[in-house]
Amino acid sequence: RVLFLCKQWYQRRVRGCKRDKDKVGMGKAYEALARCQQSEGKLEEATENYKEFVKIAQDVGDKSVYSQACSSLANLYNMLGEYGNAVEYYKKAAESMTTDDKERIELMNIAQAVAQTHHHLASYSTAILCNTAKLTATLVEWKDYRDDSFVESSRPASHASGAATPSCDQEKK
């Protein structure tokens, strides 16, 4: 009941801020609304509201707020298992921080590395689960050439960060 009332209040706040052209207030309202929706398990709606928060924070030009917005969206993507998106937004969060935020930059870089690891390991989990020769060979190739620092140039081309995750259905074709 409390979350429902909070959500209603923040929805009214978003409308009021739009009417008054208060971008900072609107960004804060979108963030709070997304947190309420996330608590309710309405993760698709929360994602959309975090995206709005990111857009508004970028428009406003406050690097600290933009970093927070990107970090919040990255955390949600990470929780959803959308590791490629999480990596993208953790990176944006870290890049937008000032050098005074060394501790937070380090934390974002660690979160980005963890999300990137999950992203890359997803395809290898598929290889193990599908137990096909081609996918298992890809796993062995990765094992032979892996670089713990995730430097793009040291990985085989088949392991670029944007590579699609193979599925059992793709392998059977």
Side-chain angles (χ1 to χ4, degrees), residues 7-163:
K7 196 167 78 171
Q8 279 187 328
W9 190 87
Y10 286 121
Q11 287 169 335
R12 283 194 302 269
R13 178 87 172 116
V14 166
R15 287 191 299 273
C17 289
K18 278 183 182 178
R19 181 191 65 235
D20 298 340
K21 296 182 179 19
D22 175 8
K23 285 192 171 193
V24 172
M26 194 168 29
K28 289 178 182 178
Y30 273 119
E31 177 188 28
L33 186 56
R35 289 182 193 273
C36 288
Q37 291 163 331
Q38 192 172 345
S39 295
E40 290 180 319
K42 296 181 178 179
L43 303 180
E44 224 173 274
E45 292 174 30
T47 302
E48 292 307 311
N49 284 307
Y50 278 130
K51 285 180 183 178
E52 288 297 322
F53 179 36
V54 168
K55 284 181 204 171
I56 291 168
Q58 189 171 27
D59 288 347
V60 169
D62 184 328
K63 287 186 175 190
S64 177
V65 173
Y66 180 69
S67 175
Q68 177 58 43
C70 289
S71 176
S72 295
L73 183 55
N75 288 336
L76 181 58
Y77 277 136
N78 199 37
M79 186 179 88
L80 291 170
E82 295 182 29
Y83 303 116
N85 288 330
V87 168
E88 175 186 347
Y89 281 95
Y90 282 132
K91 185 175 182 181
K92 288 179 180 184
E95 288 172 350
S96 65
M97 292 177 190
T98 64
T99 54
D100 296 339
D101 290 333
K102 289 179 183 170
E103 205 171 290
R104 248 185 117 225
I105 291 171
E106 189 175 305
L107 185 62
M108 284 301 107
N109 287 334
I110 291 168
Q112 179 184 346
V114 169
Q116 194 167 8
T117 300
H118 285 294
H119 176 71
H120 290 296
L121 289 178
S123 62
Y124 305 110
S125 297
T126 301
I128 292 168
L129 292 171
C130 294
N131 195 24
T132 63
K134 184 177 178 183
L135 289 176
T136 304
T138 302
L139 174 60
V140 171
E141 178 188 356
W142 171 81
K143 175 71 173 109
D144 288 344
Y145 293 101
R146 82 174 196 269
D147 177 4
D148 292 335
S149 66
F150 295 101
V151 177
E152 290 291 329
S153 62
S154 67
R155 274 188 263 138
S158 63
H159 302 293
S161 61

